[in-house]
Amino acid sequence: MKRMVALGFEGSANKIGVGFVTLDETAGITPDEIDCLCYTKGPGMGAPLQVSAVVVRVLSQLWKKPIVAVNHCVAHIEIGRIVTGADDPVVLYGSGGNTQVIAYSEGRYRIFGETIDIAVGNCLDRFARVLQLFDDPAPGYNIEQVF
């Protein structure tokens, strides 16, 4: 089976994340070895998402690579599914802007419930700022270290 290599870009409120996605070694990868370019299409804040989309479009034209738009929530779930070996997870997804109960049903991920006020991740981000904790590596992690 051919090794597949994706170069992914994720835009968030305060940074842009760039990383290789493969189940193999990534050291020494050249643009010729990249199969596709991925970017976070949503959900999220408009401006950071646009930054990632523009970067990917430019690289796609320069390197002649196809583009894959990725749902932010589903990407996190899929990574967790691979790491844990879970087949059909039911997930409480909490990020800066989204809190949702998501499960795989009838061939796709479906949202079975979500908050309509403040997201759990946003709440943790605000709480970390009140405690004057840093964003690096993540507000939730830093809160755990304090308590």
Side-chain angles (χ1 to χ4, degrees):
M1 183 166 84
K2 179 187 179 301
R3 172 178 81 156
M4 297 293 292
V5 178
L7 179 58
F9 293 81
E10 176 186 12
S12 65
N14 59 357
K15 60 189 165 291
I16 185 168
V18 180
F20 288 103
V21 180
T22 181
L23 296 178
D24 213 346
E25 290 292 319
T26 59
I29 291 178
T30 66
D32 290 337
E33 296 173 274
I34 296 170
D35 296 295
C36 65
L37 300 169
C38 305
Y39 73 99
T40 304
K41 184 175 181 180
M45 294 170 37
L49 294 174
Q50 289 173 350
V51 169
S52 297
V54 168
V55 169
V56 165
R57 285 184 186 112
V58 169
L59 290 177
S60 173
Q61 290 181 355
L62 290 173
W63 295 343
K64 311 259 187 290
K65 302 292 179 182
I67 296 174
V68 177
V70 177
N71 179 292
H72 190 180
C73 304
V74 171
H76 280 290
I77 294 169
E78 283 295 303
I79 290 169
R81 203 172 61 78
I82 290 168
V83 169
T84 64
D87 288 326
D88 292 320
V90 175
V91 177
L92 174 60
Y93 176 79
S95 74
N98 306 290
T99 299
Q100 302 167 325
V101 176
I102 303 173
Y104 195 78
S105 176
E106 299 176 7
R108 65 188 189 109
Y109 283 101
R110 297 179 184 274
I111 298 171
F112 289 93
E114 61 187 325
T115 58
I116 57 173
D117 50 7
I118 186 171
V120 170
N122 192 344
C123 180
L124 291 173
D125 292 349
R126 289 180 183 187
F127 183 59
R129 282 193 290 273
V130 168
L131 297 178
Q132 298 181 341
L133 300 176
F134 297 106
D135 284 341
D136 187 29
Y141 175 81
N142 293 333
I143 292 168
E144 289 176 2
Q145 301 312 303
V146 171
F147 296 102

